[in-house]
Amino acid sequence: MPKNMPKNIPVAPFYISLLGLWSNMGQDEIYDRWLRQSLEKYGAIRIWVSGRWNVLVTRPDYVSDMFRNEDIYAKWGSQKKIPWTVIASLVGDNIVNSHGETWKLYSSVMKPGLQKTTFDSKPLLEKSRQFVSLLYRTQQEVGHGNGVMVNPLIQRFTIAAMGESFFDIDFQCLENPDMRINALQSIIKRTIFKPLYFNFPILDRYPSIFTSRRRAFAIMKEFEDLLYDLVKYRPRKMSRKDPVAPKDELLVHMMERALEEGKITEEQYRANLKITFLVAHEDTQSLLTSMFWQLGKDQTTQDKLRAEVLATGIADPTSDDLNTLPYMTSLICELLRLYPPVSQVINRISTQSSRLGGEIEIPEGTFVGWSALGVQSDPRVWGPTARDFIPERWGDDAKEIMAKVRRETVRGTFIAFNSHSRKCLGQGYAFLELKMVLFELVRRVKWSVDPGYKLKLTPGGILSPMMCKVRFQALAEGREIGERTIQDIKA
């Protein structure tokens, strides 16, 4: 360990970085066994990740200090930290991991498309309906006494929804499970976070020796080229005769114009296409999987959500309709708190010697990061029920709930979407997509976790239940439950 690393915080055991080589422990189990006690006591630890020692923090004032001082703790992604690796070849230099003038350039091009206040909700409603039909059709195929593995079906939905909302394309993933763009995502997820290469990235320098890495590089290139071609030659673009009206422009139209005008290079355009594709489907995919688990084992919560939805009397909700539903809003916030898709990130570097939170000496050139899983399940932050799923903790008014989200984000206690100047630009879209699909789900089906399924969260990377199996029941029967719940609430 470098001699100038901070001395007043504990060191996580080196071997936890290697657990994935022989253990199937999930991120929650690893955190609880080896990290929670030290992080809840000291708020920061030294930990080995991605081939080096880093500082990982969970105390809200440390987190806020890091987010607030962007120029001291600068974004420094894989493209700079480990540029020779498979993951760097996948993500490139993009709006998420860039810093300074480059980030400002990307933001000027992409922010209007990512933060649209008038997302057309109709394509999301259509894809949500297709998704629910797919779930129930799959249940019929496997038989009602068996569980449906939802993970691959959710991925197909989130890719389809993201394509409509950002890329002006129907990727046809819901209709066809064999679409190559979908298959590549499954391969990439299995490839990127392999413990040996993730924690010893130096090995990616030798693809001639490690042939699996040579194949991994080829997969990343295939994904990039396929996505580029699908977007460039999308049917709607090829058949369009008139320019897209400014009010109807999506992210892809803004990016294409920036490329044509020379504001960004083709390399930058490709990298930002990829990162948008990845983050705009992976995070909601992860949270939806967690939702099926949580609500599948908690029928009271599921029925309460169904009651709220059925009480609207609406079949074709708009974004305005969805934004008035307090219990749905609070439920999504609680899912994000306990199951943050991006559970841990170490992608910032200290550009000068500093004192984090006024207490921890951080030498120049030290990599620092945060654990949302740690911050958001800490009893010192969220009280004695921190690890319990309680949507009601967020409030009972939709606008007040979102105001609480903003306050907790600024305080560094709720960081599922990052914070301050680098807060996730796609937060609004993520809420809209999740609300739309939840609305359609509880209207049409009731679900429960398959009795034979035991929760196992991913060992690294995006936090999500693995191989989650759920049983679905048609709403023809589920509606009675929802109506009884409405009467119970009224009573």
Side-chain angles (χ1 to χ4, degrees):
M1 180 180 298
K3 293 181 179 180
N4 63 349
M5 289 289 283
K7 302 294 192 297
N8 59 337
I9 56 176
V11 181
F14 174 81
Y15 56 79
I16 67 172
S17 300
L18 305 176
L19 285 174
L21 296 177
W22 68 80
S23 166
N24 65 348
M25 295 180 73
Q27 293 180 56
D28 55 331
E29 297 170 292
I30 294 172
Y31 188 87
D32 287 345
R33 183 166 177 178
W34 284 288
L35 305 180
R36 182 176 293 279
Q37 184 175 357
S38 293
L39 280 167
E40 289 184 359
K41 181 176 181 179
Y42 295 95
I45 59 172
R46 291 167 284 175
I47 187 170
W48 176 273
V49 177
S50 297
R52 56 171 48 87
W53 288 99
N54 312 265
V55 174
L56 181 71
V57 305
T58 58
R59 214 172 81 181
D61 55 328
Y62 295 163
V63 173
S64 292
D65 192 12
M66 178 171 44
F67 286 156
R68 190 167 50 245
N69 292 291
E70 167 76 12
D71 289 330
I72 297 176
Y73 306 106
K75 281 288 189 84
W76 201 263
S78 300
Q79 81 281 10
K80 292 185 176 181
K81 182 165 57 175
I82 42 176
W84 63 86
T85 58
V86 170
I87 191 170
S89 73
L90 171 65
V91 299
D93 188 70
N94 60 70
I95 190 171
V96 174
N97 285 334
S98 58
H99 177 69
E101 294 303 315
T102 304
W103 172 69
K104 292 177 182 178
L105 169 64
Y106 296 157
S107 294
S108 69
V109 172
M110 301 175 66
K111 187 174 181 179
L114 293 168
Q115 285 192 323
K116 281 174 68 73
T117 56
T118 56
F119 269 112
D120 185 358
S121 60
K122 292 179 182 178
L124 283 178
L125 176 58
E126 178 184 347
K127 292 303 178 185
S128 296
R129 286 174 170 166
Q130 286 182 259
F131 175 53
V132 177
S133 296
L134 174 63
L135 291 172
Y136 191 66
R137 188 165 65 248
T138 305
Q139 180 68 76
Q140 292 177 307
E141 291 170 356
V142 303
H144 288 282
N146 300 303
V148 173
M149 188 179 296
V150 294
N151 304 61
L153 305 181
I154 296 170
Q155 177 172 288
R156 289 164 60 186
F157 163 69
T158 55
I159 290 175
M162 171 271 304
E164 292 284 356
S165 299
F166 293 114
F167 291 151
D168 190 31
I169 186 173
D170 186 348
F171 284 113
Q172 295 288 309
C173 291
L174 284 170
E175 296 82 357
N176 185 354
D178 298 321
M179 295 300 290
R180 184 60 177 167
I181 197 75
N182 175 60
L184 284 172
Q185 296 316 297
S186 300
I187 298 171
I188 288 170
K189 289 178 175 71
R190 293 195 301 267
T191 301
I192 287 298
F193 296 108
K194 287 190 173 181
L196 179 63
Y197 301 104
F198 185 72
N199 287 292
F200 298 95
I202 189 67
L203 298 177
D204 275 0
R205 287 187 181 274
Y206 308 104
S208 60
I209 299 175
F210 301 97
T211 55
S212 66
R213 304 313 278 173
R214 185 165 67 243
R215 291 193 295 271
F217 278 110
I219 287 293
M220 305 309 146
K221 180 60 176 170
E222 181 187 355
F223 164 60
E224 176 181 321
D225 290 342
L226 177 59
L227 178 61
Y228 178 85
D229 286 343
L230 287 172
V231 172
K232 182 176 182 179
Y233 300 109
R234 61 190 184 275
R236 293 169 191 167
K237 178 183 178 182
M238 303 306 291
S239 63
R240 185 176 290 117
K241 296 180 181 179
D242 300 317
V244 178
K247 67 180 180 63
D248 297 324
E249 280 195 333
L250 300 180
L251 174 66
V252 68
H253 304 123
M254 302 169 190
M255 291 177 63
E256 287 175 335
R257 183 167 60 250
L259 177 63
E260 292 167 2
E261 295 175 353
K263 292 181 179 178
I264 57 175
T265 67
E266 180 167 309
E267 181 180 4
Q268 292 172 324
Y269 171 79
R270 283 173 172 257
N272 282 292
L273 272 185
K274 290 187 293 181
I275 200 64
T276 301
F277 184 101
L278 293 169
V279 302
H281 91 268
E282 284 183 346
D283 291 358
T284 49
Q285 176 188 351
S286 166
L287 202 69
L288 280 173
T289 310
S290 299
M291 179 278 299
F292 276 117
W293 156 258
Q294 181 64 46
L295 271 62
K297 71 183 183 72
D298 183 356
Q299 296 299 311
T300 300
T301 298
Q302 186 184 144
D303 287 345
K304 186 172 181 179
L305 175 62
R306 181 174 292 108
E308 180 179 68
V309 167
L310 294 178
T312 66
I314 296 172
D316 301 313
T318 65
S319 57
D320 289 339
D321 296 326
L322 297 171
N323 289 336
T324 64
L325 302 177
Y327 192 67
M328 178 179 286
T329 304
S330 66
L331 187 146
I332 292 172
C333 292
E334 189 70 347
L335 284 168
L336 285 163
R337 188 185 70 83
L338 277 187
Y339 303 98
V342 184
S343 62
Q344 176 179 301
V345 175
I346 300 176
N347 68 347
R348 291 174 180 258
I349 190 171
S350 55
T351 59
Q352 62 188 58
S353 296
S354 60
R355 185 182 287 269
L356 184 64
E359 297 179 7
I360 302 176
E361 294 288 348
I362 304 292
E364 180 180 353
T366 301
F367 281 90
V368 294
W370 44 266
S371 168
L373 179 64
V375 175
Q376 296 173 184
S377 63
D378 188 343
R380 299 188 184 192
V381 177
W382 288 91
T385 61
R387 301 177 71 178
D388 298 329
F389 187 83
I390 307 174
E392 290 82 0
R393 76 172 77 240
W394 293 91
D396 55 11
D397 177 89
K399 290 183 178 180
E400 291 179 4
I401 290 168
M402 293 310 296
K404 179 177 175 63
V405 167
R406 291 189 289 272
R407 290 194 301 272
E408 300 294 347
T409 298
V410 171
R411 291 176 57 215
T413 56
F414 181 73
I415 54 175
F417 291 106
N418 219 303
S419 184
H420 293 279
S421 63
R422 299 307 294 266
K423 185 173 68 174
C424 176
L425 297 176
Q427 176 178 335
Y429 168 77
F431 267 96
L432 175 60
E433 180 183 348
L434 291 163
K435 288 177 180 180
M436 186 65 78
V437 71
L438 275 171
F439 192 99
E440 190 66 13
L441 274 165
V442 297
R443 283 186 64 248
R444 294 175 55 192
V445 294
K446 175 181 174 66
W447 66 94
S448 58
V449 175
D450 186 88
Y453 177 72
K454 304 300 180 185
L455 178 65
K456 178 62 64 175
L457 297 181
T458 48
I462 300 295
L463 182 72
S464 179
M466 299 173 65
M467 298 182 288
C468 184
K469 282 194 171 184
V470 173
R471 294 183 181 183
F472 294 95
Q473 180 182 11
L475 185 64
E477 301 171 36
R479 182 181 299 277
E480 298 175 3
I481 296 170
E483 290 171 349
R484 283 202 302 271
T485 309
I486 293 173
Q487 296 304 318
D488 291 343
I489 290 174
K490 289 180 178 178

